[in-house]
Structures are given as structure tokens and as C-alpha cells.
């Protein structure tokens, strides 16, 4: 009776499956990192709006931009407008990813846009989608 040697089959399957598994892990990490950075950027924007509303008579647009840049890295653009007891801040940021580093491009761009105003001595802050 002839017996066939099957020892190499598991090695071939292992070599074929490992790159797919690593790609899935990388994508999970990149998505998780993008969500984390989006929450962080949104929190920074909210705090900047709140700080600006607390100091609405004395703060300037450049001071708010500087405050955001000190608390956030890799900011692409910051738009700040202050007029009539109302502040609008829009921040755009590129998120570095493992896949983007491998192929030399930014995979994710995130944005955060908030408006805040004072009505009847009460702060109202809303997130614009």
C-alpha cells in the first residue's frame, strides 16, 4: 500500500493565511486609531469652544487657533470665527496609519465642527455633523 506524505500542506496553508491575518489586524488597529483620534479631536474642539465662550469679550481667533495647535498634533486646517457672541471652530486633521505609511499616503482625514453661542447668559454648544 502506497502512503502519501502530507507534511508540507500545513506549512503552505500557514504561509498563505498569515499575510491575510496580519492585514486584518492592521486594519482593525487603523480603524481603532482613527476612532480614537476623532474622539480626541472632538473633545479638543469642544473644550476650545467652551474656553472661548467663557472669555468671549477678550479672546481672539488667533488665540483659539494657538490653543488648539498646542493640544493637537498633525492639524491640517483650523477655521475659527468669532462674531456676535458666537464662535465656530472647524478642525481638519490627517491620521497616520500603518497601511498609509506602507504605501506613502494618508488613509484617513477627520474633521470636527462645533458652534457655540451665548443666549440669555447661557452657553449653548452644538456639534455640526
Amino acid at each position: 500500500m502506497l502512503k502519501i506524505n502530507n507534511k508540507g500542506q500545513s506549512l503552505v496553508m500557514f504561509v498563505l493565511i498569515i499575510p491575510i491575518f496580519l492585514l486584518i489586524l492592521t486594519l482593525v488597529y487603523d480603524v481603532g486609531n482613527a476612532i480614537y483620534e476623532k474622539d480626541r479631536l472632538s473633545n479638543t474642539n469642544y473644550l476650545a469652544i467652551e474656553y472661548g465662550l467663557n472669555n468671549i469679550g477678550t479672546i481672539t481667533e488667533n488665540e483659539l487657533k494657538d490653543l488648539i495647535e498646542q493640544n493637537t498634533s498633525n492639524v491640517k486646517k483650523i477655521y475659527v470665527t468669532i462674531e456676535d457672541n458666537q464662535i465656530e471652530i472647524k478642525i481638519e486633521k490627517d491620521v497616520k496609519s500603518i497601511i498609509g505609511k506602507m504605501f506613502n499616503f494618508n488613509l484617513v482625514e477627520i474633521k470636527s465642527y462645533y458652534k457655540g453661542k451665548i443666549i440669555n447668559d447661557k452657553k449653548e454648544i452644538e456639534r455640526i455633523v
Side-chain angles (χ1 to χ4, degrees):
M1 182 161 182
L2 183 63
K3 188 172 182 182
I4 298 175
N5 187 356
N6 294 332
K7 290 182 181 178
Q9 288 179 353
S10 61
L11 180 63
V12 170
M13 288 304 291
F14 182 75
V15 168
L16 291 176
I17 297 295
I18 283 295
I20 295 169
F21 181 68
L22 289 175
L23 181 64
I24 291 171
L25 282 177
T26 304
L27 284 173
V28 167
Y29 173 80
D30 283 347
V31 169
N33 188 41
I35 291 170
Y36 171 74
E37 288 293 330
K38 172 79 174 166
D39 287 345
R40 223 174 135 216
L41 186 67
S42 184
N43 188 39
T44 301
N45 197 348
Y46 181 86
L47 292 174
I49 286 276
E50 190 171 27
Y51 179 78
L53 289 175
N54 288 336
N55 302 299
I56 192 76
T58 58
I59 197 155
T60 65
E61 295 172 355
N62 288 332
E63 289 174 335
L64 278 176
K65 284 181 185 180
D66 290 340
L67 180 69
I68 293 167
E69 287 174 350
Q70 289 172 3
N71 291 298
T72 308
S73 60
N74 298 328
V75 175
K76 192 169 155 183
K77 294 179 184 173
I78 302 173
Y79 304 101
V80 177
T81 55
I82 302 173
E83 31 181 68
D84 300 329
N85 290 336
Q86 181 171 328
I87 300 175
E88 293 182 29
I89 300 177
K90 184 177 183 181
I91 308 171
E92 296 178 5
K93 177 181 177 177
D94 287 333
V95 176
K96 302 291 182 186
S97 65
I98 295 174
I99 294 176
K101 287 179 186 175
M102 288 191 312
F103 298 110
N104 201 20
F105 68 93
N106 286 325
L107 188 63
V108 180
E109 177 184 276
I110 56 176
K111 298 177 183 178
S112 177
Y113 184 30
Y114 277 84
K115 281 185 180 180
K117 53 189 165 188
I118 297 177
I119 299 175
N120 299 329
D121 294 330
K122 197 174 192 181
K123 291 185 281 187
E124 290 185 14
I125 300 173
E126 64 178 312
R127 180 175 164 222
I128 309 299
V129 179

